[in-house]
């Protein structure tokens, strides 16, 4: 699982194909970056990001842990109060864990980037 003394900050840029490319500061491993990128392929707009974040938070409130929420590219599984596992669906990355707080913050950062891009 990723972790450091300071919170991670995710940023997102659009590439030439209009796909979101995530980056993390401090840098995490490439597999985690690929996992986030793959998950976000199925959340291509601010509206979709807002809906995914709302559903994630509602499921967290309802179930606590032990649930998953997938996109067309990958799955996110809340395995404990503090851990989210990003699950590969198509051989794009190795399953990996991310701190639950970081996952939520990453989704918020992505939503902000998508809103900004849409004007």
């Amino acid at each position: 699982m990723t972790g450091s003394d300071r919170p991670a900050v995710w940023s997102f840029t659009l590439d030439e194909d209009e796909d979101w490319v995530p980056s993390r500061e401090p840098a995490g491993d490439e597999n985690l970056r690929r996992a986030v990128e793959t998950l976000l392929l199925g959340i291509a707009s601010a509206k979709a990001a807002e809906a995914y974040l709302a559903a994630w938070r509602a499921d967290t409130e309802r179930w606590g842990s032990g649930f998953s929420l997938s996109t067309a590219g990958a799955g996110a599984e809340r395995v404990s109060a503090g851990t989210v596992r990003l699950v590969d669906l198509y051989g794009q990355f190795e399953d990996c864990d991310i701190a639950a707080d970081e996952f939520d913050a990453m989704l918020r950062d992505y939503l902000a980037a998508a809103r900004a891009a849409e004007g």
Side-chain angles (χ1 to χ4, degrees):
M1 183 164 41
T2 62
S4 75
D5 292 342
R6 62 185 174 138
V9 175
W10 287 85
S11 59
F12 303 88
T13 56
L14 285 169
D15 68 10
E16 62 277 356
D17 296 323
E18 297 292 310
D19 291 327
W20 287 101
V21 178
S23 60
R24 182 183 183 270
E25 187 61 41
D29 74 5
E30 177 61 16
N31 186 64
L32 175 61
R33 191 203 65 75
R34 236 182 357 259
V36 168
E37 182 176 27
T38 304
L39 179 77
L40 296 180
L41 287 173
I43 311 173
S45 69
K47 184 176 180 179
E50 189 170 4
Y52 187 91
L53 181 57
W56 182 261
R57 288 180 172 167
D59 284 353
T60 298
E61 180 70 25
R62 182 173 183 191
W63 303 108
S65 63
F67 69 89
S68 64
L69 187 60
S70 295
T71 69
E77 179 181 327
R78 186 74 180 250
V79 295
S80 72
T83 305
V84 174
R85 178 162 297 131
L86 300 177
V87 179
D88 179 49
L89 301 177
Y90 302 106
Q92 302 299 307
F93 61 91
E94 296 293 322
D95 294 358
C96 57
D97 293 348
I98 182 172
D101 289 345
E102 181 179 347
F103 183 75
D104 189 83
M106 178 275 296
L107 291 174
R108 284 185 281 119
D109 292 343
Y110 175 65
L111 174 57
R115 284 179 173 157
E118 291 176 10

